[in-house]
Amino acid sequence: MKNFIFIIVTLAALLMSASCSDNKTYRIGVSQCSQDDWRSKMNDEIRREIMFHPEATVEIRSADDSNEKQIADIRYFMDNGFDIIIAAPNEADAITPVISEAYGAGIPVVLFDRNINGDTYTAWQGADNLAIGRSAAHYARHLAGAGARVIEIYGLEGSTPAIERHEGFKAGAAEEGLTLLATAHGNWNYEDAALVADSLLGLYPETDLIYAHNDRMAIAASEVARRKGLNLKVIGIDAAPEIGIKAVADSVIDATFLYPTDGYRLVRTALAILGGQPYDTICRLPVSSPVDISNADILLLQNESLREETDKISVLKGQVDEFWTRHSAQTTLFYAAVAILVLVVGVLFLVLRTFWQRQRHQRQLMEQNRLLEEQRDAQKALNEQLAEATQSKLIFFTNVSHDLRTPLTLIAEPVEQLAAADNLTPRQKTLMKIADKNVRILRRLINQILDFRKYENGRLSLNLTESPMGRLFVEWTEAFVAMARKRDIKLAVTSDLPDGFTAAVDVEKIERVFFNIMSNAFKYTPRQRQHIVRGADRRRESRVLCQGHRSWHSGRRPAQHLRPLLSGGQGASQRVGHRSLSGQGLRRASRRLDLGREPSGHGVGVHRLDTRAPHRGADPSCHGTPDYPRRCRGRAGERRGRRPAARLGQAAAARHRRQRGHTPHDGRTAV
């Protein structure tokens, strides 16, 4: 899912970048040496051509015949990251260093009209000024005749077009038989040319023709000659529509030679250089014929039509730019809408996918729930079968116990009478007592089975009676005398209990606990050792100690060995002394007994029985606890979760026992 979201976001970003990104825009810087009509015409041609190339922009700066300003303009283009520089050097010597610096910095340089010293430029474009000078000399002979006397008004000193135009005219004049009276610098402008013309005409009033290097100087010389009343011919160069051609049409000057601008060619050459396309390193423009009174009006009309078309193109260009801006905005909105639609579709897909996954998970959970319910039903059926089987076993053992109890009761009465007879020998009397005790033991085992059934059914009750514990310990211990003699174990009973000491206990249950503990004690006591049964009274608690002269396990306290015996469940089957101990009676008895420890080096098992008489109406389960007077006094004789036994009177309890076949405490059997 994360990869899918990443793909959608990336696609949207690409669409947005594609809609907003433009192609690289080239920046073209044009440095004009001056501001005149011919250069204005070239600037118009450059701007008109750049309209058809949206991948480029142009910035035109004029130096106004100042070397310092042109150097500053060229450095401006260099410092502001222009891609190419187009320049018309004002003077070759002054501008050559900065042009070489720009060229050395990796910026392409295109020169036009004028040149520099050297070849540190990328391309050059301009007319053949030598040929123009020759054409001017040839036209002067045609206009003024052979042997005509000519004054030349020179352009800017050091300017390459002025030098070439002078050299071409000088060579042509020699060929045509013209006389060059004088030459002076008019610096390409009207004012300087007027001063120079006034001086020269004052010196040479016989002049037949004035040859000026541009139309403004030609107009200035013509006006000076008219003021002086001289009728002479004037020729200029450039043929700018608003100056030169108009002056010819108005008969201010006689002729002008068309100096081609070709601004469009400069733009195309610059873009070819930037685009890595082929271009001409040196491009010399062809020389056109002179403009005189015969064609000046036509050229003016053509120029006017060209200007109107240029204006229309400018308007169309503005409209196209506006439409393109709208198109770009609409394209951006379209791509944004597409991106949003893709995102919405992606989110919808994710929502549906999540819904489908949830449905699938719900089906899986329902299937798992169904399987769990089937397993639960199967487990419930097995538990019911197991409970039924267990109940059947309990019923079987209960029935068997009842069947055994009747003949055992019939046997117990004669055995008890024989044990009490006076005509038996001591040996016979001892054997009969042993038989009587074993009969009672067997009867107790049957009662245990019946009590277990009661315990399972929740009908097992606690019958407390005041009993002499010292006498009971002695009587119960006599049952193990024969076992001790057989295993060569010295069995002794000691008691610290005062005479007449009694305790409120359930005699049957305590007797079972005692017999189970003694049986296990004999089981794990080695031969030829001492076995002591001791009764003690400490803090009104009766303690029964089974002591053997051996350590149960190295490094373990004796109480820790007896605790698993009485804990039930897993603890009843732990390995103690590398033997497994178990006993259902011990596990049941452990719920009512507490383990302690005597400070002795021998194995000691201690069982505490609270001997304080219970308060009338108190809960027997509270008897013997530290907070017995506060917690149990006055409470109803009930234990939580068990049937109340204290509510039954002694007569009702005895009657209940007789109905269930229990044996009374006097040893007689109730049938």
Side-chain angles (χ1 to χ4, degrees):
M1 183 179 293
K2 293 182 178 180
N3 294 332
F4 182 75
I5 295 176
F6 176 76
I7 292 173
I8 291 178
V9 173
T10 304
L11 180 60
L14 290 176
L15 291 174
M16 293 296 294
S17 63
S19 63
C20 297
S21 63
D22 294 326
N23 295 329
K24 176 177 175 58
T25 302
Y26 297 112
R27 301 177 67 191
I28 302 174
V30 179
S31 174
Q32 293 282 12
C33 59
S34 63
Q35 183 67 35
D36 53 35
D37 296 330
W38 182 85
R39 298 193 184 278
S40 297
K41 178 184 177 184
M42 173 176 278
N43 294 341
D44 291 339
E45 293 176 353
I46 291 173
R47 293 189 183 96
R48 184 166 56 245
E49 181 65 23
I50 208 69
M51 293 180 184
F52 301 98
H53 300 280
E55 73 277 9
T57 60
V58 67
E59 183 175 346
I60 302 175
R61 286 175 171 258
S62 177
D64 297 327
D65 299 320
S66 171
N67 294 329
E68 292 76 10
K69 191 173 186 306
Q70 188 169 34
I71 292 173
D73 292 340
I74 294 174
R75 291 195 180 279
Y76 166 80
F77 295 143
M78 294 170 58
D79 297 337
N80 287 275
F82 279 75
D83 298 292
I84 193 169
I85 298 174
I86 300 175
N90 188 48
E91 294 182 11
D93 294 337
I95 306 302
T96 297
V98 70
I99 293 295
S100 299
E101 181 181 350
Y103 182 78
I107 301 175
V109 178
V110 178
L111 302 180
F112 67 96
D113 180 30
R114 304 179 183 185
N115 211 335
I116 61 172
N117 299 327
D119 58 353
T120 55
Y121 54 84
T122 307
W124 179 89
Q125 173 183 318
D128 190 350
N129 287 285
L130 289 172
I132 291 176
R134 288 177 180 274
S135 297
H138 177 72
Y139 190 80
R141 186 192 67 83
H142 172 73
L143 188 64
R149 290 161 293 190
V150 179
I151 292 176
E152 180 182 8
I153 300 179
Y154 207 95
L156 184 65
E157 184 178 5
S159 174
T160 55
I163 295 173
E164 292 176 356
R165 291 175 184 180
H166 169 72
E167 295 296 332
F169 185 83
K170 182 178 179 181
E175 294 175 358
E176 298 294 337
L178 301 177
T179 301
L180 186 60
L181 297 176
T183 300
H185 294 284
N187 298 326
W188 305 112
N189 59 70
Y190 180 92
E191 292 79 9
D192 292 342
L195 293 175
V196 169
D198 185 67
S199 299
L200 290 177
L201 290 176
L203 295 175
Y204 305 101
E206 70 275 13
T207 302
D208 298 318
L209 185 142
I210 296 176
Y211 166 57
H213 285 186
N214 68 359
D215 293 332
R216 283 184 295 177
M217 293 188 298
I219 294 172
S222 176
E223 291 179 351
V224 170
R226 289 184 179 184
R227 284 197 303 268
K228 290 181 175 292
L230 300 176
N231 185 17
L232 49 81
K233 305 295 182 181
V234 180
I235 298 175
I237 299 175
D238 284 346
E242 299 297 330
I243 298 295
I245 298 177
K246 190 174 185 303
V248 172
D250 294 340
S251 299
V252 176
I253 61 177
D254 295 288
T256 180
F257 283 84
L258 184 62
Y259 189 70
T261 53
D262 287 356
Y264 73 93
R265 196 185 300 270
L266 283 174
V267 174
R268 294 177 184 179
T269 301
L271 294 177
I273 293 172
L274 295 175
Q277 300 175 358
Y279 61 93
D280 294 330
T281 304
I282 303 297
C283 179
R284 290 192 178 273
L285 303 177
V287 179
S288 60
S289 60
V291 177
D292 55 18
I293 192 64
S294 64
N295 57 8
D297 293 334
I298 297 175
L299 292 176
L300 286 176
L301 291 175
Q302 291 179 349
N303 182 72
E304 186 65 26
S305 299
L306 181 61
R307 179 179 296 179
E308 291 179 358
E309 296 298 329
T310 302
D311 293 339
K312 291 180 180 179
I313 292 174
S314 299
V315 173
L316 292 176
K317 178 63 169 56
Q319 294 178 354
V320 169
D321 291 340
E322 182 181 358
F323 293 153
W324 182 254
T325 302
R326 294 180 182 178
H327 171 73
S328 299
Q330 293 174 357
T331 303
T332 302
L333 292 176
F334 172 75
Y335 284 126
V338 170
I340 294 173
L341 181 61
V342 171
L343 290 176
V344 170
V345 171
V347 171
L348 181 61
F349 172 75
L350 293 178
V351 171
L352 291 176
R353 184 170 179 267
T354 304
F355 175 75
W356 293 331
Q357 288 181 348
R358 183 178 179 183
Q359 293 292 328
R360 184 170 65 254
H361 291 165
Q362 288 181 351
R363 288 194 296 269
Q364 292 177 355
L365 290 176
M366 293 178 63
E367 182 65 20
Q368 292 178 357
N369 291 336
R370 187 183 62 80
L371 294 176
L372 290 176
E373 290 178 356
E374 292 179 355
Q375 293 177 359
R376 183 196 62 189
D377 296 339
Q379 187 68 28
K380 184 177 180 181
L382 291 176
N383 292 337
E384 292 177 354
Q385 294 177 2
L386 181 60
E388 184 178 356
T390 303
Q391 189 67 19
S392 300
K393 292 179 181 179
L394 289 176
I395 293 174
F396 172 75
F397 286 118
T398 302
N399 295 334
V400 171
S401 299
H402 280 290
D403 293 340
L404 291 176
R405 186 173 184 177
T406 300
L408 183 61
T409 302
L410 298 176
I411 294 173
E413 185 65 26
V415 170
E416 184 179 358
Q417 293 178 4
L418 288 175
D422 297 333
N423 57 350
L424 299 177
T425 62
R427 174 67 175 169
Q428 291 175 346
K429 193 173 185 63
T430 300
L431 294 177
M432 288 306 299
K433 287 184 178 181
I434 293 173
D436 182 50
K437 292 181 180 296
N438 287 310
V439 168
R440 282 187 287 176
I441 291 172
L442 183 58
R443 187 168 56 190
R444 280 195 297 271
L445 292 176
I446 294 175
N447 290 336
Q448 286 181 3
I449 295 175
L450 297 176
D451 289 345
F452 183 76
R453 176 67 183 280
K454 293 178 182 179
Y455 175 77
E456 290 294 331
N457 294 331
R459 295 197 299 269
L460 185 62
S461 60
L462 182 66
N463 300 313
L464 299 178
T465 58
E466 293 287 341
S467 304
M469 299 305 299
R471 181 173 60 80
L472 291 177
F473 288 157
V474 174
E475 292 179 359
W476 293 338
T477 306
E478 290 178 357
F480 297 93
V481 172
M483 184 183 299
R485 186 182 300 111
K486 181 178 180 181
R487 300 186 60 180
D488 197 15
I489 295 175
K490 183 179 179 181
L491 179 62
V493 179
T494 62
S495 176
D496 295 338
L497 299 175
D499 295 338
F501 177 81
T502 60
V505 298
D506 191 327
V507 178
E508 292 184 4
K509 295 176 177 57
I510 294 300
E511 183 180 10
R512 296 170 193 168
V513 173
F514 183 85
F515 271 84
N516 278 309
I517 292 175
M518 290 294 292
S519 298
N520 282 285
F522 273 98
K523 181 177 181 181
Y524 296 107
T525 300
R527 294 177 179 274
Q528 299 181 354
R529 295 300 178 98
Q530 185 177 8
H531 197 85
I532 301 175
V533 178
R534 179 186 178 190
D537 179 22
R538 295 183 183 179
R539 298 187 308 275
R540 295 297 309 276
E541 291 182 354
S542 178
R543 296 186 178 185
V544 182
L545 289 82
C546 300
Q547 178 176 330
H549 283 259
R550 69 186 289 265
S551 178
W552 289 74
H553 194 278
S554 176
R556 296 181 64 182
R557 296 180 178 181
Q560 292 175 344
H561 292 278
L562 287 175
R563 192 178 301 275
L565 294 175
L566 300 175
S567 61
Q570 183 179 358
S573 60
Q574 293 181 357
R575 301 288 296 176
V576 180
H578 303 287
R579 294 181 176 90
S580 178
L581 306 180
S582 62
Q584 184 69 26
L586 294 179
R587 286 193 292 271
R588 289 198 304 270
S590 65
R591 295 184 177 89
R592 304 182 183 91
L593 302 179
D594 186 21
L595 285 173
R597 180 177 63 84
E598 285 293 328
S600 173
H602 308 291
V604 179
V606 182
H607 304 276
R608 296 186 181 89
L609 303 175
D610 192 357
T611 59
R612 290 172 289 186
H615 190 273
R616 178 172 297 177
D619 187 357
S621 64
C622 302
H623 188 63
T625 58
D627 58 348
Y628 164 72
R630 175 176 55 83
R631 184 167 65 90
C632 300
R633 183 169 297 157
R635 290 174 54 186
E638 293 185 1
R639 297 183 64 187
R640 295 182 179 180
R642 298 185 179 181
R643 297 188 61 182
R647 293 182 179 181
L648 299 176
Q650 292 186 357
R655 184 167 56 254
H656 179 68
R657 286 196 300 273
R658 285 194 299 272
Q659 292 175 358
R660 300 301 298 171
H662 286 201
T663 303
H665 294 297
D666 55 2
R668 291 176 294 179
T669 303
V671 181

